[in-house]
Amino acid sequence: MRTAKYMSLLYPLLTVIVSTALLFPAYAQAQAVTAPAVNTSSMPLKVGVYDNAPKIFVNENGRPDGIFWRLIEEMADRESWQLQAVVCEWNDCLLQLESGLIDLMPDVAISESRGQRFDFHEEPALLGWSQVYEREGTALLSLLDMAGKRVAILQGSIQLEYLSDLMTNFGIRVEWLLMDNLEDAFSAVVADRADAVVSNHYFGDLSADRLGLARTPLIFQPSQLYFAVAAGTRDVLLQTINNYLVEWKADPESPYFTALREWGVEPVPNAIPGWLLWGIACLVIALLLALGFSALLRLKVAERTRSLVASEHRLNTILNSVEAYIYIKDHKLRYQYANRKVCELFGVSAEQIAGKTDADFFDKTTCDQLYENDMRVLRKGERVANEEVNILESDQQEHVFISVKLPLRNPDNSIYALCGISTDITEHKQIRNQLHQLAFFDALTGLPNRRLIMDRLDHAMASRLKTGYEGALLLIDLDNFKTVNDTLGHETGDLLLQMVAKRLERGLLSTDSAGRLGADEFVLIVEDVALNVSDAMMRVRDMADFLRQQFAQPFDLHGTDYVCSVSIGVVMFSDADGDVDALLKGADLALAAAKEGGRNIVRFFNQDMQIEVTRRTRIEHALRRAIEQNSMSLFIQPQVDENAKIVSMEALLRMTDPILGDISPGDFVPVAETCGLIIPLGEWVIEKACGMLQQWQTIPVMKDLTLAVNVSPRQFHHPGFADHVLGRLKKYNVPGSALVLEVTESLLIDDIDSTIRKMQVLGAQGIHFALDDFGTGYASLTYLKRLPLTQLKIDQSFVRDLLIDQNDEAIVRTIIALGNSLDMQVVAEGVETGEQAARLQEMGCHYFQGYHFGRPKPVEKYLELLSAE
């Protein structure tokens, strides 16, 4: 039993030995920061001073001094603080600090009780430890040797709190002599009123050398020393002190290291003192001897070691997962442990969580879910890993966690608790949902976008094949939507689209889907309408009429009532034979037929449209062959002035297919637009046109002519359009002024600002722009004034009946006047007779194009013609 007692006393010395290593950490290099200002200039900052050299003391001149005083004095000089020293005994200093009679107390170590009474900064001011000092010959080599001894110690000190608890736990009786200051404590040993004295090593080493006392190997409590304030006060002061310490400790030449060197303190010990190594060696020898005393004691130590290892393992699991929510629950699902993240989640401390259950923090649905998962762990010993959606009672906010729960077992393998590790993926889920929303839904209306619509069409067509029920695709286009943008602004136009989307979704069945394909075009997928096609068409017709009635109700656009009409194209699923592309093409044709019929029209896809689909498909295949085989051709048609002199040429694309024969541009260009071939086709035209212009530079009769090329809106808006045009000009060494790009009014419908910027980029290289088919589209005078146009071309539909239709004459006259007022060249297209040319000239038009002056022909024909003149 005596051996066991000795062993139990020696075991904690391992902690002392290991703790000693903490006395010599390398100082971390902190980022330098600038201390914020603290307003203490109005009242003096009262600083407690007690006798603890060299850290803090009153010198022989009666002034406060020491490491801590030098540091706070340097900070005060920089911050313009007024310092007032309050000299007091240690314990009295702490009482005055707590009561507010002192504002700041230096040289304070943190303990649990002090943490409740005082506030501290983060960066330690000094690192130190405590040590026992004795008269020569006392021979205190271990804690056991202190039994019955008179030990002088500072009243209210952290050393007293630590050692008294330690001695009580080991059953060692010590006569504590409580002193008001350390000087009296050391004097008591010299005067033989005490056998030993306990002190911090700074004061102790100085006093021991001065008074002839000896250092013992009893070193304990490595500590960090701080400035302290009363709890809940002067946070800004502490932050300022902390910032200076971080800044100074990063600079070896700072006031911090200057103060340490002045008082002979090494900031980073380079080695463990020899006497300390001897002390540790003695302790190790004593421990090894004690380990051999009894096999029984070894078994008890092993059992205790296993328990410590298990506790250390649980602790490491928690500390190494600080960004997760970690907790332990007992068999009654009461929280036994909760880490910092759990405390932050619940908004309470760990002590307040202990003993409570999920019902104290979550709603009933969450508790039921957690109970089911927890019981699988506690009753069945399962490792449970799944996603949990929890709602806190405190804020009713939904949190999504990935939780892993595992059983904690006793040595006999019985389960005594569960440990849970949860990771909050709420933000990750929100981001994933947002990405899904952006990928599959229209940002403006919230309706499914083209990508999701195509997926749902695939599903709908597959469902029809399984069930036999007929369905339909409705393509819906707002009539004259551009008028809203032009007259009321794009913001109002967006509002209209949002309100249309809401009405479109009104009354939809669970099997129906609405979506937005782009601009003012919407789509409605209707499934499981009827088994009979005729019945299905009737029901779809009723649905289309209902939609027209819905949209006929006025929309409140910022206080303005706007009545909207729609054109609807309908195609039945059975018309496409399971082909989604054919279904969309059929809907496009039906919508086009509806728009041709006027406003507020519904058209169903029919056999004639099917013939048109077949024709367009054949043209598409022929067009692809022509592009691949480079079999397209480029004709030119002259533009002349009032003297019939050729001043420019327009490049006109022609196509001849071995199977279909000659195909009109009016047929193959819309197909190219629809199937996406307009981009490569337009690039081919630009390439050929620039090649022509290069050849013309060497031909006298051609070198002064410009060449006009038609550009579709889709081609113009392509991101690489400008680079391609400028690249071809550079490749063929053609000046930009030789090229004229003809655009239509439909180019102005979308993103006018981007259009203007691109035209300005090209115009800067000398390229001219002409507005083709003017008068047939949607151009507003505001846009015309902003666009860098040099030419207006009167559409041939106005020229054709110029001599017999007063309306056409009035329109032509207006266009000519408009062009002249905007300083633009006006060209009349489709001039087929001399009478038309003469009348146009009388009206003020000076440039013409049409069969009267020359038909489209290959370049070689006009070269021969011009060369012969």
Side-chain angles (χ1 to χ4, degrees):
M1 292 300 292
R2 181 177 179 83
T3 301
K5 178 179 178 182
Y6 281 137
M7 201 56 211
S8 66
L9 294 177
L10 286 170
Y11 179 78
L13 295 182
L14 288 173
T15 303
V16 175
I17 297 169
V18 174
S19 299
T20 305
L22 295 176
L23 297 174
F24 309 101
Y27 284 83
Q29 297 299 317
Q31 295 285 337
V33 296
T34 302
V38 180
N39 184 15
T40 60
S41 59
S42 59
M43 295 182 63
L45 183 67
K46 291 178 284 187
V47 183
V49 177
Y50 77 108
D51 190 16
N52 194 355
K55 294 185 291 181
I56 186 76
F57 64 97
V58 176
N59 61 24
E60 62 273 10
N61 296 323
R63 293 179 52 80
D65 209 343
I67 297 173
F68 275 94
W69 185 261
R70 293 294 177 85
L71 295 180
I72 195 63
E73 191 173 45
E74 179 68 24
M75 295 177 195
D77 288 343
R78 299 189 181 199
E79 296 292 330
S80 300
W81 298 340
Q82 299 179 28
L83 300 183
Q84 177 181 334
V86 178
V87 181
C88 49
E89 302 295 348
W90 170 251
N91 195 50
D92 183 50
C93 287
L94 294 183
L95 293 175
Q96 290 189 52
L97 179 65
E98 186 175 17
S99 64
L101 297 177
I102 291 177
D103 299 318
L104 183 69
M105 186 65 200
D107 190 28
V108 183
I110 299 176
S111 68
E112 183 175 355
S113 61
R114 289 179 184 174
Q116 297 174 359
R117 299 165 60 195
F118 310 119
D119 288 340
F120 303 84
H121 49 86
E122 295 181 3
E123 183 70 21
L126 285 177
L127 302 176
W129 62 85
S130 298
Q131 192 165 355
V132 179
Y133 299 85
E134 63 181 5
R135 292 193 311 278
E136 293 288 349
T138 306
L140 297 179
L141 299 177
S142 71
L143 294 180
L144 297 176
D145 296 329
M146 294 183 66
K149 294 294 191 291
R150 299 167 299 167
V151 179
I153 194 166
L154 193 63
Q155 183 176 357
S157 66
I158 197 169
Q159 295 100 329
L160 175 61
E161 180 182 344
Y162 175 80
L163 284 178
S164 60
D165 288 343
L166 185 64
M167 295 304 179
T168 300
N169 291 336
F170 283 107
I172 299 174
R173 299 189 62 179
V174 176
E175 182 181 349
W176 301 110
L177 303 181
L178 304 183
M179 300 295 179
D180 289 331
N181 57 71
L182 290 175
E183 187 65 39
D184 290 346
F186 275 83
S187 298
V189 178
V190 174
D192 199 24
R193 296 196 305 274
D195 301 307
V197 59
V198 177
S199 168
N200 66 82
H201 77 96
Y202 291 106
F203 188 92
D205 289 351
L206 291 175
S207 299
D209 293 339
R210 179 170 53 87
L211 300 174
L213 301 182
R215 301 173 179 84
T216 74
L218 300 182
I219 299 173
F220 61 95
Q221 229 180 6
S223 59
Q224 298 174 327
L225 305 176
Y226 300 83
F227 290 93
V229 300
T233 65
R234 298 187 176 273
D235 291 341
V236 176
L237 174 63
L238 288 181
Q239 185 61 49
T240 302
I241 293 173
N242 189 78
N243 290 342
Y244 273 116
L245 289 174
V246 171
E247 179 182 354
W248 289 348
K249 291 173 76 171
D251 181 8
E253 301 303 321
S254 67
Y256 178 83
F257 288 101
T258 301
L260 293 183
R261 287 190 291 268
E262 180 179 350
W263 295 101
V265 177
E266 286 291 336
V268 182
N270 296 319
I272 301 175
W275 57 266
L276 180 59
L277 292 176
W278 280 106
I280 294 175
C282 294
L283 292 175
V284 171
I285 292 172
L287 180 62
L288 293 175
L289 291 174
L291 289 174
F293 281 1
S294 168
L296 178 62
L297 183 58
R298 287 197 297 270
L299 291 176
K300 290 183 177 180
V301 171
E303 181 180 352
R304 185 172 181 182
T305 301
R306 284 194 299 271
S307 176
L308 290 174
V309 169
S311 299
E312 182 182 0
H313 176 73
R314 290 193 295 270
L315 180 61
N316 287 338
T317 301
I318 295 170
L319 294 178
N320 292 335
S321 306
V322 292
E323 290 305 314
Y325 298 83
I326 305 172
Y327 46 89
I328 296 175
K329 299 180 185 178
D330 63 14
H331 267 286
K332 294 184 178 180
L333 300 182
R334 295 173 300 194
Y335 283 95
Q336 301 301 303
Y337 172 82
N339 77 336
R340 174 181 56 86
K341 295 287 287 184
V342 177
C343 295
E344 292 175 356
L345 179 67
F346 292 161
V348 295
S349 66
E351 291 75 14
Q352 292 172 303
I353 295 175
K356 293 186 177 180
T357 65
D358 290 324
D360 295 301
F361 305 107
F362 298 107
D363 69 347
K364 185 178 185 305
T365 302
T366 300
C367 292
D368 293 342
Q369 173 192 320
L370 294 176
Y371 177 84
E372 181 179 348
N373 292 336
D374 292 350
M375 285 299 99
R376 289 171 56 190
V377 178
L378 293 172
R379 291 177 179 173
K380 300 179 181 180
E382 296 181 12
R383 180 185 181 275
V384 176
N386 58 11
E387 182 177 299
E388 296 177 339
V389 180
N390 302 339
I391 298 178
L392 288 171
E393 284 284 5
S394 58
D395 58 9
Q396 292 300 307
Q397 293 294 314
E398 183 179 279
H399 297 264
V400 184
F401 296 93
I402 291 293
S403 296
V404 177
K405 300 178 180 181
L406 60 155
L408 300 179
R409 300 179 181 273
N410 290 311
D412 61 0
N413 208 37
S414 62
I415 299 172
Y416 66 87
L418 71 82
C419 177
I421 305 174
S422 300
T423 302
D424 192 340
I425 62 169
T426 306
E427 184 176 356
H428 171 75
K429 293 272 288 188
Q430 291 172 347
I431 294 174
R432 189 173 67 181
N433 291 339
Q434 291 172 359
L435 292 176
H436 180 271
Q437 185 74 18
L438 291 174
F440 293 102
F441 292 88
D442 176 54
L444 178 63
T445 63
L447 293 176
N449 60 15
R450 178 179 289 272
R451 180 178 179 183
L452 184 54
I453 285 296
M454 294 298 292
D455 181 72
R456 291 185 177 178
L457 276 177
D458 285 332
H459 178 273
M461 297 290 275
S463 175
R464 176 187 173 273
L465 293 177
K466 292 180 180 178
T467 64
Y469 274 82
E470 184 62 275
L473 174 66
L474 286 75
L475 207 55
I476 305 162
D477 187 84
L478 305 185
D479 295 329
N480 298 327
F481 173 71
K482 186 177 183 298
T483 305
V484 179
N485 280 337
D486 289 344
T487 58
L488 301 178
H490 287 277
E491 180 181 351
T492 303
D494 290 345
L495 175 61
L496 176 60
L497 292 175
Q498 292 170 338
M499 298 175 75
V500 166
K502 291 180 180 178
R503 289 196 188 180
L504 188 59
E505 289 183 300
R506 189 183 301 167
L508 291 184
L509 299 177
S510 60
T511 55
D512 299 339
S513 296
R516 182 186 179 207
L517 293 182
D520 59 342
E521 195 170 77
F522 294 84
V523 67
L524 187 61
I525 303 172
V526 185
E527 297 186 57
D528 301 335
V529 180
L531 285 171
N532 182 272
V533 176
S534 298
D535 292 342
M537 291 183 68
M538 292 297 296
R539 294 183 183 180
V540 172
R541 164 69 72 175
D542 293 340
M543 178 178 290
D545 289 339
F546 174 75
L547 288 175
R548 288 193 301 163
Q549 295 171 11
Q550 287 285 317
F551 293 138
Q553 299 298 318
F555 291 89
D556 182 7
L557 302 180
H558 300 304
T560 300
D561 285 343
Y562 179 79
V563 177
C564 175
S565 63
V566 294
S567 298
I568 303 177
V570 183
V571 60
M572 307 302 293
F573 285 178
S574 56
D575 291 330
D577 294 328
D579 187 344
V580 172
D581 289 335
L583 191 72
L584 286 171
K585 290 179 180 179
D588 277 333
L589 290 172
L591 179 60
K595 294 177 75 68
E596 289 174 2
R599 297 177 55 186
N600 210 25
I601 301 296
V602 178
R603 286 287 185 267
F604 278 77
F605 179 79
N606 56 38
Q607 190 59 40
D608 291 338
M609 294 180 185
Q610 182 61 52
I611 294 172
E612 175 64 14
V613 170
T614 303
R615 187 186 72 84
R616 289 170 65 96
T617 302
R618 295 175 66 189
I619 292 176
E620 180 182 335
H621 292 160
L623 190 58
R624 292 184 184 277
R625 286 196 302 270
I627 293 175
E628 292 174 0
Q629 298 171 8
N630 195 26
S631 62
M632 306 291 291
S633 59
L634 208 58
F635 284 22
I636 58 175
Q637 185 179 26
Q639 296 176 2
V640 301
D641 62 12
E642 55 193 357
N643 299 316
K645 178 184 177 182
I646 297 177
V647 294
S648 181
M649 293 286 186
E650 180 178 357
L652 300 172
L653 190 61
R654 293 294 182 262
M655 175 180 175
T656 301
D657 184 74
I659 301 174
L660 301 180
D662 291 339
I663 304 175
S664 168
D667 290 331
F668 69 75
V669 171
V671 172
E673 289 273 8
T674 303
C675 67
L677 292 176
I678 196 65
I679 303 301
L681 192 60
E683 291 179 347
W684 183 87
V685 172
I686 295 292
E687 182 89 27
K688 289 296 182 182
C690 290
M692 282 185 185
L693 287 170
Q694 183 188 45
Q695 293 175 357
W696 293 359
Q697 304 302 308
T698 62
I699 303 172
V701 295
M702 304 288 284
K703 66 178 183 178
D704 293 329
L705 300 180
T706 59
L707 182 61
V709 176
N710 289 281
V711 177
S712 76
R714 187 170 181 181
Q715 179 186 2
F716 187 90
H717 287 305
H718 188 270
F721 173 71
D723 290 338
H724 177 74
V725 172
L726 296 177
R728 298 313 93 184
L729 290 175
K730 183 177 180 181
K731 174 182 177 181
Y732 292 102
N733 194 26
V734 175
S737 58
L739 182 64
V740 179
L741 299 180
E742 293 191 2
V743 298
T744 62
E745 293 174 79
S746 57
L747 178 69
L748 311 181
I749 295 177
D750 295 318
D751 200 356
I752 184 66
D753 292 329
S754 175
T755 299
I756 293 174
R757 286 195 298 270
K758 189 172 291 186
M759 293 176 73
Q760 289 172 340
V761 169
L762 294 169
Q765 303 302 316
I767 298 172
H768 300 288
F769 288 92
L771 190 58
D772 198 15
D773 301 333
F774 184 69
T776 62
Y778 308 95
S780 73
L781 297 181
T782 301
Y783 292 163
L784 283 180
K785 186 174 67 174
R786 295 177 59 193
L787 292 170
L789 297 169
T790 58
Q791 190 180 87
L792 288 180
K793 300 189 73 175
I794 305 172
D795 186 68
Q796 60 184 348
S797 62
F798 303 125
V799 176
R800 184 183 305 115
D801 297 328
L802 173 67
L803 301 177
I804 59 175
D805 190 325
Q806 293 182 350
N807 290 330
D808 285 345
E809 181 178 348
I811 293 173
V812 170
R813 190 181 302 276
T814 301
I815 294 174
I816 294 172
L818 177 63
N820 292 334
S821 67
L822 294 175
D823 196 23
M824 295 183 190
Q825 186 183 92
V826 179
V827 180
E829 292 186 300
V831 181
E832 298 183 354
T833 67
E835 291 80 3
Q836 291 174 338
R839 182 63 182 138
L840 286 166
Q841 191 167 350
E842 291 175 2
M843 298 169 66
C845 183
H846 306 295
Y847 297 93
F848 315 94
Q849 180 179 346
Y851 285 0
H852 179 66
F853 299 100
R855 292 175 175 271
K857 297 177 182 179
V859 178
E860 296 78 12
K861 296 294 183 181
Y862 277 103
L863 179 59
E864 293 173 2
L865 179 63
L866 293 174
S867 299
E869 292 182 356

